[in-house]
Amino acid sequence: MGSREVLGQAARLASSGLLLQVLFRLITFVLNAFILRFLSKEIVGIVNVRLTLLYSTTLFLAREAFRRACLSGAAQRDWSQTLNLLWLTVPLGVFWSLFLGWVWLQLLEVPDPHVVPHYGTGVVVFGFSAVVELLGEPFWVLAQAHMFVKLKVIAESLSVILKSVLTALLVLWLPHWGLYIFSLAQLFYTTVLVLCYVIYFAKILGSPESAKQQALPVSSMTDLLPSMTKSRAFVNWEEAKLTWSFFKQSFLKQILTEGERYVMTFLNVLNFGDQGVYDIVNNLGSLVARLIFQPIEESFYIFFAKVLEREKDATLQKQEDVAVAAAVLESLLKLALLTGLTITVFGFAYSQLVLDIYGGVMLSSGSGPVLLRAYCLYVLLLAINGVTECFTFAAMSKEEVDRYNFTMLALSSSFLMLSYVLTRWCGSVGFILANCFNMGIRITQSLRFIYRYYRKSPHRPLAGLSLPPVLLGTFAVSGGITAASEAVLQVKRK
């Protein structure tokens, strides 16, 4: 498959993912706004910070490295070995869920059962839900590798919507259930998600014509299960080594991605109520990142990984592929910069209004507006970092990935220290400031790699980060006008 065909599929995957996610996320957004009016800040903090951290950490440590390794490299591979490697995520997930569940129950502060009932059940069910989701990992990777445009988005969005509907109904009818509500909803979400993939592949593989049309490397559902023969190794050892390299990196990246939650959970710098407010603002602020940037990052990581060869310099590869990759990267950088600046300029002025509409007085009073304003700047950095790391991780060689791990180690340590210091100094907004600092360092590392990668070629994709002075001036004027209108509105309210 040529680079332009791969680009077309990646673009369709990103655009379809964007449109469907906007639709489904809007529905979820409304349902969550409804749910917030029936919950205490303490329950929100426990569910969205403590239990969600257990779930996401288990999944990240068990599957992130396998995903990146198995989606990289040439299209020609022994898929039975790749699928065998992917099934190892299940026992790994069992180990992490048991170990982390013990930590969550025995070493961390247990909330007051009168305020947050059924905490132990929540820990067990959220850990088990992560293991259930890992059962669908081989299906997910196979779908991504063959760019099934709508499957991933529909499966995830449908699962999220059904989870939100079930949560809303249980909160309305059985509010005294406490964490039982969210535990049941989480298990329901992962079950529906896995079933979507299983049913889809069962339907395709049940028809030989459909399987042939999709050019799948398997012909039946049993081919997706682990298999062993004497003629070859159980797994591809090159993929296994790359997985180990990505595992070391993913462990550090997880600390950076969820660092503020680790600090809140293990260092108790905020009470459960403040954690709840911070997490709501964090989710609201990152809504655009999940709607727009995440589908683009995931889709074009696959594009760059298929078009570029890891172990070769840009001058030693097919120049048409290198040129297409450079043009795509430049366009993505410009899109990320323009979108991020728009969110920063208008979000800064209207943060309090948004929070008042979304969650009422619980969010619009206190530290909520300040948190969301700071997050608007963070979204700009998130947008740029998503695109630059998308290219960097797809083009790095194994040795470069290993070297990058040392940088991530230093960055993880500095982030944890900075988060603790800034939070003690200026409250929960310190988490966002620490994230901005570390995101800036990560962007710098990726920009250096991209510059070196294209240094000997005629292509300059980093030009996508430069904007005309007229456009910058328009953003500045817009920021001044919106800030003034918000100030006038605040005076009238008083």
Side-chain angles (χ1 to χ4, degrees):
M1 185 181 294
S3 60
R4 297 191 181 277
E5 287 80 3
V6 176
L7 174 59
Q9 287 189 346
R12 287 194 296 273
L13 179 62
S15 58
S16 299
L18 175 60
L19 292 174
L20 288 171
Q21 284 218 35
V22 167
L23 174 62
F24 289 128
R25 289 287 182 181
L26 284 176
I27 298 173
T28 308
F29 180 84
V30 174
L31 289 172
N32 287 339
F34 169 78
I35 293 170
L36 285 176
R37 285 162 169 77
F38 294 87
L39 299 176
S40 66
K41 294 187 291 185
E42 288 74 19
I43 287 184
V44 172
I46 288 295
V47 173
N48 290 358
V49 177
R50 180 73 68 86
L51 297 181
T52 302
L53 182 63
L54 168 65
Y55 168 79
S56 64
T57 301
T58 302
L59 287 180
F60 203 98
L61 294 177
R63 77 183 182 188
E64 179 70 13
F66 290 86
R67 282 187 170 185
R68 290 195 174 274
C70 294
L71 286 173
S72 302
Q76 299 297 325
R77 65 172 72 189
D78 187 337
W79 269 99
S80 60
Q81 291 181 319
T82 299
L83 292 171
N84 288 342
L85 184 64
L86 288 169
W87 279 111
L88 295 178
T89 59
V90 177
L92 191 60
V94 172
F95 166 76
W96 282 117
S97 65
L98 291 175
F99 174 74
L100 294 175
W102 175 80
V103 172
W104 258 240
L105 289 172
Q106 301 297 325
L107 301 184
L108 298 181
E109 176 190 0
V110 176
D112 185 347
H114 298 289
V115 179
V116 184
H118 316 304
Y119 172 73
T121 301
V123 170
V124 173
V125 176
F126 270 74
F128 179 69
S129 298
V131 176
V132 171
E133 185 166 339
L134 290 171
L135 295 173
E137 198 60 19
F139 302 92
W140 186 92
V141 171
L142 190 60
Q144 286 293 99
H146 290 79
M147 291 190 172
F148 290 168
V149 175
K150 297 180 181 178
L151 172 60
K152 175 179 178 292
V153 176
I154 291 178
E156 294 184 357
S157 301
L158 180 63
S159 303
V160 169
I161 287 179
L162 292 177
K163 172 188 173 182
S164 300
V165 170
L166 178 61
T167 304
L169 292 176
L170 292 176
V171 165
L172 187 62
W173 293 338
L174 302 167
H176 60 279
W177 274 23
L179 292 186
Y180 282 159
I181 295 173
F182 299 94
S183 302
L184 181 61
Q186 183 65 29
L187 185 58
F188 180 70
Y189 160 79
T190 55
T191 303
V192 171
L193 181 63
V194 173
L195 285 177
C196 286
Y197 282 95
V198 173
I199 293 172
Y200 183 85
F201 276 98
K203 182 179 179 181
I204 289 182
L205 296 175
S207 171
E209 294 182 359
S210 298
K212 185 177 181 180
Q213 185 179 5
Q214 297 288 352
L216 291 174
V218 293
S219 57
S220 66
M221 291 294 287
T222 56
D223 292 339
L224 289 166
L225 299 176
S227 60
M228 182 180 296
T229 63
K230 296 181 180 179
S231 60
R232 54 172 173 74
F234 182 71
V235 299
N236 184 320
W237 289 108
E238 289 300 318
E239 283 184 343
K241 292 177 182 177
L242 186 59
T243 299
W244 175 243
S245 296
F246 277 125
F247 176 78
K248 292 182 287 185
Q249 175 185 315
S250 65
F251 183 82
L252 300 173
K253 185 180 179 181
Q254 175 68 0
I255 296 178
L256 293 175
T257 305
E258 303 279 9
E260 68 271 14
R261 287 184 171 87
Y262 288 117
V263 173
M264 283 188 281
T265 298
F266 289 94
L267 300 181
N268 296 322
V269 293
L270 299 176
N271 59 46
F272 293 126
D274 289 340
Q275 290 180 25
V277 173
Y278 173 83
D279 188 77
I280 294 170
V281 172
N282 180 57
N283 289 333
L284 184 61
S286 63
L287 184 64
V288 175
R290 295 195 304 271
L291 287 177
I292 299 177
F293 305 136
Q294 186 176 355
I296 291 175
E297 180 182 351
E298 291 178 351
S299 302
F300 284 94
Y301 171 80
I302 299 172
F303 164 72
F304 290 129
K306 284 180 174 289
V307 168
L308 302 175
E309 298 182 51
R310 285 187 179 275
E311 304 298 330
K312 290 185 179 180
D313 187 77
T315 57
L316 302 177
Q317 301 190 44
K318 188 177 178 181
Q319 290 307 298
E320 180 185 357
D321 292 347
V322 173
V324 170
V328 170
L329 179 59
E330 181 177 352
S331 299
L332 290 177
L333 286 173
K334 185 155 294 187
L335 173 65
L337 183 60
L338 290 174
T339 307
L341 282 174
T342 302
I343 294 169
T344 302
V345 168
F346 290 96
F348 190 85
Y350 299 126
S351 292
Q352 186 169 2
L353 178 62
V354 169
L355 290 176
D356 193 54
I357 294 173
Y358 185 63
V361 179
M362 181 182 78
L363 295 182
S364 61
S365 60
S367 62
V370 177
L371 285 173
L372 190 55
R373 290 187 182 105
Y375 209 97
C376 289
L377 173 61
Y378 181 50
V379 167
L380 171 61
L381 300 178
L382 271 177
I384 298 173
N385 180 72
V387 173
T388 55
E389 283 196 348
C390 161
F391 177 88
T392 299
F393 291 149
M396 274 183 172
S397 66
K398 178 182 178 300
E399 291 73 20
E400 288 171 324
V401 171
D402 289 335
R403 287 198 299 270
Y404 190 78
N405 288 336
F406 290 101
T407 303
M408 295 284 279
L409 176 61
L411 201 56
S412 301
S413 302
S414 65
F415 171 75
L416 294 177
M417 295 174 57
L418 192 61
S419 295
Y420 181 77
V421 172
L422 290 177
T423 306
R424 289 293 186 185
W425 176 47
C426 55
S428 52
V429 74
F431 285 122
I432 300 177
L433 297 178
N435 271 312
C436 289
F437 173 80
N438 284 277
M439 198 60 66
I441 300 296
R442 288 168 64 177
I443 292 172
T444 302
Q445 293 292 323
S446 297
L447 292 179
R448 288 178 57 193
F449 174 83
I450 295 170
Y451 173 78
R452 291 196 305 267
Y453 190 86
Y454 281 104
R455 181 173 49 191
K456 298 179 182 179
S457 75
H459 310 292
R460 297 293 178 266
L462 295 182
L465 291 176
S466 61
L467 296 178
V470 174
L471 186 56
L472 292 175
T474 302
F475 276 116
V477 172
S478 300
I481 294 174
T482 53
S485 67
E486 175 67 8
V488 171
L489 182 62
Q490 290 296 329
V491 171
K492 290 183 178 180
R493 285 179 179 176
K494 294 179 180 179

